[in-house]
Amino acid sequence: MRRLFLFLSLSVLLFSCNNASTNSGGTSSGGTISGAGATFPYPFYNIVFRDYMRLHEGITVNYGAIGSGGGIRSLRDRSVDFGASDAFLNNKEIASMNGEVIHVATCMGGVVMAYTLKGIDSLRLTGSLIADIYMGKIKKWNDPKLVRENPGVQLPDLDITPVYRSDGSGTTYNFSEYLSVVSPGWKSVMGKGKALKWEAGIAAKGNPGVAGIVLKTEGAIGYIGSEYALTLELPVAKLKNRAGNYVDATLETISAAANVELPVDMRATVTDSGDPNAYPISLFTWILIFRDQQYNNRTKSEARMLVDLLNYIISPGGQKVAAQINYAPLPEQAVEKTRRLIGEINYGGEIISPYKQLNSKSDSVAQSPENGQSAQSAPQSVKDLQNGQSLQNSKNVLNVTSKIIPAEQ
């Protein structure tokens, strides 16, 4: 019941946060920043935006978790200050935006396979098996292919209910992008995208919707953001990575997936990483904004507020929040390249916050909401950022936050 209450509280907030007008008349001392998009990073954004508002009296940050596809459309329509997506814009989407868009990576996460199967608390899957389940080729939990992958596990003679996203979703994009890499059959029949024509299963809206159906349905399996599965204490399968190791989605295994040279524009996929410790369905999530902020009667003050918020999110204070609620903080390389991108944001050609090379650990970019002191901008390790916080603590943070941000504004 406790898990269900937490889930319902989170779900209500996810879909009731409104999108404020971009023309909020913000000033350097106050105003409103509005965004919309991916549900995957919503718990992180909910808390990091709250902390930012506590540090900046008079500034309100609204975020509507409507899915990555909705976030991209909202930014294209100029109805929000920023969009959020778990999939970077493809060339066709870039051409449709009528303005150059910058991808600001905010954190990392994993897409996990959550399931409900009475008496089964350990399950191992491969990409090929997942593809066959969602294509309707494996229909029973005691299918010989699943049994072979799980020696010693008494899988039942029970129908499998795969659950997928009904809305345009970056989570779906990363899930299908991974399966397209590891399964030729999936690539030729299903392909990759934010929305697909599914061969089997039932649909649900948003990560909370998929998690809710999996939670209530015996025999169900669904792909969801790792944070949602951890919060609801749903069993999740170990996945076999490219090196042949079965791994859980942890901060360390997700971060290991980014042990590659990242592009300067940070439009990168890190699924099926070759790192032997990497979780195979790891991803970046981004905030999308226009490089030139002078549009739709936006003021320079509004642009400055938005840039300041972005710098806060990637600061040690912001990344510490991510780690505490089971998102993987950005690796050092990603932080540095993202800082350079933020330094390119301009207002009618005038750079808003020029990129500055960090010279020492004394350089600071944000204040910590916990101690009120300037936070060091030098990147920290995952363990340092997590700082020993437990999952129980992260649940408490979620509960507190749910009381602070109103359902409707």
Side-chain angles (χ1 to χ4, degrees), residues 22-221:
T22 56
N23 299 319
S24 56
T27 67
S28 59
S29 60
T32 298
I33 302 171
S34 64
T39 62
F40 178 85
Y42 176 77
F44 171 47
Y45 291 167
N46 194 24
I47 297 172
V48 78
F49 292 164
R50 176 206 63 180
D51 290 345
Y52 183 80
M53 287 187 285
R54 285 177 172 173
L55 290 170
H56 299 81
E57 185 177 357
I59 293 180
T60 299
V61 184
N62 292 324
Y63 182 71
I66 60 176
S68 296
I72 293 170
R73 288 193 298 273
S74 297
L75 183 67
R76 180 189 296 126
D77 296 341
R78 272 69 169 174
S79 59
V80 293
D81 298 308
F82 68 86
S85 176
D86 303 325
F88 58 75
L89 300 183
N90 58 38
N91 292 337
K92 183 178 180 180
E93 289 169 330
I94 288 175
S96 73
M97 300 303 285
N98 295 318
E100 189 173 359
V101 173
I102 286 178
H103 292 65
V104 177
T106 57
C107 68
M108 296 184 67
V111 178
V112 301
M113 302 306 302
Y115 65 94
T116 294
L117 211 53
K118 188 176 181 180
I120 307 296
D121 57 7
S122 177
L123 184 68
R124 303 197 306 187
L125 292 174
T126 67
S128 177
L129 289 174
I130 296 169
D132 283 351
I133 289 172
Y134 274 87
M135 293 175 69
K137 294 180 179 179
I138 295 179
K139 300 179 183 296
K140 293 280 190 178
W141 279 106
N142 64 348
D143 185 283
K145 292 181 180 177
L146 288 173
V147 172
R148 279 198 297 272
E149 205 68 32
N150 293 276
V153 179
Q154 297 300 312
L155 293 169
D157 181 14
L158 178 68
D159 288 342
I160 301 175
T161 303
V163 188
Y164 58 85
R165 291 281 293 271
S166 61
D167 50 329
S169 161
T171 306
T172 298
Y173 179 87
N174 284 280
F175 176 70
S176 59
E177 195 272 341
Y178 165 68
L179 295 183
S180 293
V181 171
V182 299
S183 168
W186 179 278
K187 183 178 180 180
S188 64
V189 175
M190 299 294 291
K192 61 182 178 181
K194 298 184 187 69
L196 303 174
K197 294 182 179 179
W198 296 93
E199 298 289 323
I202 57 178
K205 187 173 183 179
N207 275 296
V210 174
I213 290 180
V214 172
L215 181 67
K216 294 184 293 185
T217 307
E218 179 68 15
I221 186 169

Side-chain angles (χ1 to χ4, degrees), residues 290-338:
F290 287 109
R291 184 188 298 268
D292 187 349
Q293 288 288 297
Q294 190 177 31
Y295 63 91
N296 277 14
N297 298 320
R298 289 173 60 78
T299 67
K300 188 181 292 186
S301 292
E302 290 173 317
R304 284 174 177 160
M305 283 195 303
L306 181 57
V307 169
D308 190 58
L309 173 65
L310 298 177
N311 276 320
Y312 177 74
I313 293 171
I314 67 168
S315 73
Q319 293 299 293
K320 183 177 180 180
V321 170
Q324 287 174 340
I325 57 172
N326 297 300
Y327 291 90
L330 296 174
E332 178 180 352
Q333 177 192 178
V335 170
E336 190 60 19
K337 290 182 175 179
T338 301

